[in-house]
Amino acid sequence: MIQRAVVSEYISTNFGTSEDFLFEKHPSFGVFRHPISGKWFGVLMEIPRSKVYVSEADDEDIVILNVKINPELGEILRNKPGIYAAYHMNKQHWVSLDLSQLSELSEVAQLVEDSFKLTR
């Protein structure tokens, strides 16, 4: 399990931006914007588990990170454990990473870097 704070610190340190908390209704939703283009390249959220795992009734919160992807890789990525069709984003261009299902920051780091490049 990767902690939210670790991902936030990694992104801030390596990409020169920190979380923007834009949504009054959802104070735990943190957006990372590309420092040059201003486009979103990551969104950290705490959401009910049932939003990602539709067949489960468990509403315990999980932490997910949405990242932008090359649409050609979408199907391949979504077949990996812990990676799902994006919650609340375009499902062709974004995926959700369930941080409770991932154990290595390196699994997240490459996807964050790719997302950053795609929003340049």
Side-chain angles (χ1 to χ4, degrees):
M1 173 183 226
I2 302 171
Q3 300 295 317
R4 178 191 180 117
V6 170
V7 173
S8 182
E9 179 64 28
Y10 169 79
I11 294 172
S12 294
T13 300
N14 290 282
F15 300 97
T17 186
S18 56
E19 284 181 86
D20 277 338
F21 296 95
L22 305 174
F23 308 104
E24 189 174 314
K25 185 176 177 183
H26 300 286
S28 69
F29 287 21
V31 173
F32 292 95
R33 299 178 203 223
H34 195 287
I36 295 171
S37 70
K39 293 180 180 179
W40 296 11
F41 69 93
V43 185
L44 264 173
M45 297 178 271
E46 295 174 27
I47 63 170
R49 183 177 179 80
S50 61
K51 297 289 186 183
V52 174
Y53 302 95
V54 180
S55 63
E56 297 184 22
D58 185 358
D59 276 339
E60 176 184 337
D61 281 352
I62 59 171
V63 178
I64 64 168
L65 173 65
N66 282 358
V67 291
K68 190 167 183 131
I69 59 164
N70 180 331
E72 296 170 2
L73 299 176
E75 188 174 335
I76 295 167
L77 289 171
R78 285 187 291 275
N79 283 321
K80 293 184 176 187
I83 302 178
Y84 302 92
Y87 169 73
H88 217 36
M89 302 287 271
N90 179 304
K91 291 171 182 19
Q92 182 180 2
H93 295 276
W94 292 79
V95 292
S96 290
L97 311 176
D98 178 355
L99 299 184
S100 70
Q101 299 297 311
L102 302 172
S103 57
E104 299 293 327
L105 184 58
S106 61
E107 295 175 275
V108 174
Q110 185 60 55
L111 290 170
V112 171
E113 183 176 331
D114 291 346
S115 184
F116 184 81
K117 289 177 181 175
L118 286 168
T119 59
R120 196 173 301 166

